[in-house]
Amino acid sequence: MKVVISTATTKVFNKKDLVAYFLVAGTGAVVQLISSSLLQDWFGLTFQQSIWPSYLVSLIVGFTLTKLFAFDARRTNQTRREMIKFFMVAIFSGFVTDLFARLSYMISNAYFQTYEFHLPGAKTINVNEMVCYVIGMGFSFMSNYILHKTFTFKSTGFYDRLKNLIED
């Protein structure tokens, strides 16, 4: 007897999930960029200082949208489990974002002149910082997608093992 498993359900990079996740992650990226800009303007944070706080703000939006739309996990009844796993992946991806944003910013400062874009109303955008932030988010997008698809929104048994370890 031959068993056939549909490749659409087993492939990590299927088009539907990838497009949905890209749209959701894009929304999270916009929230992150706006948060970063507001933190810099309102609280006087530097570019580097604003990376983590704005990343954490986008986490809330990211979890909700990812659960509801990206991986069709709205009816799993495992929200607490997914939140813990999502947070673990997000912390890892936060370090990925931070590392690549800072690394590209150092390279940008060493080899390129600073470009600024002036918006009406006296707001100035440092294009170099924005591009470096997008580079960091791009690397984070790749790690997030793979980890959320294969770990966060998939029953792996990890949560149960972690829960048992904590209870002992």
Side-chain angles (χ1 to χ4, degrees), residues 149-167:
K149 176 83 173 173
T150 61
F151 175 70
T152 305
F153 296 102
K154 183 176 182 179
S155 182
T156 61
F158 176 82
Y159 177 81
D160 294 326
R161 289 191 302 274
L162 179 64
K163 189 173 160 186
N164 288 336
L165 181 67
I166 292 171
E167 289 176 355

Side-chain angles (χ1 to χ4, degrees), residues 9-48:
T9 58
T10 59
K11 277 178 49 177
V12 171
F13 293 104
N14 70 58
K15 287 181 190 176
K16 178 186 167 246
D17 286 349
L18 196 56
V19 169
Y21 187 73
F22 182 78
L23 294 173
V24 166
T27 303
V30 168
V31 167
Q32 190 173 352
L33 290 171
I34 291 171
S35 298
S36 177
S37 180
L38 293 175
L39 287 167
Q40 289 175 45
D41 289 348
W42 292 350
F43 299 105
L45 298 180
T46 65
F47 166 70
Q48 292 91 344

Side-chain angles (χ1 to χ4, degrees), residues 48 58-59 68 71 80 88 110 114 131-132 151 154 160:
Q48 292 91 344
S58 72
L59 270 178
L68 294 177
F71 299 122
R80 184 173 14 159
M88 292 169 66
T114 301
V131 168
C132 294
F151 175 70
K154 183 176 182 179
D160 294 326

Side-chain angles (χ1 to χ4, degrees), residues 65-118:
L65 294 177
T66 302
K67 178 165 176 64
L68 294 177
F69 302 112
F71 299 122
D72 197 25
R74 67 179 68 91
R75 290 183 212 93
T76 61
N77 296 325
Q78 298 178 2
T79 301
R80 184 173 14 159
R81 171 184 308 213
E82 292 164 348
M83 285 174 75
I84 290 169
K85 291 163 83 175
F86 187 91
F87 184 73
M88 292 169 66
V89 169
I91 293 299
F92 173 76
S93 293
F95 282 109
V96 170
T97 300
D98 188 53
L99 173 71
F100 284 99
R102 288 176 188 264
L103 184 61
S104 58
Y105 188 67
M106 288 183 344
I107 293 168
S108 171
N109 283 342
Y111 295 103
F112 302 102
Q113 75 180 52
T114 301
Y115 293 96
E116 294 181 337
F117 182 74
H118 301 283

Side-chain angles (χ1 to χ4, degrees), residues 134-149:
V134 170
I135 289 169
M137 287 189 295
F139 280 95
S140 178
F141 171 83
M142 290 184 287
S143 68
N144 267 336
Y145 175 80
I146 293 167
L147 289 171
H148 287 319
K149 176 83 173 173

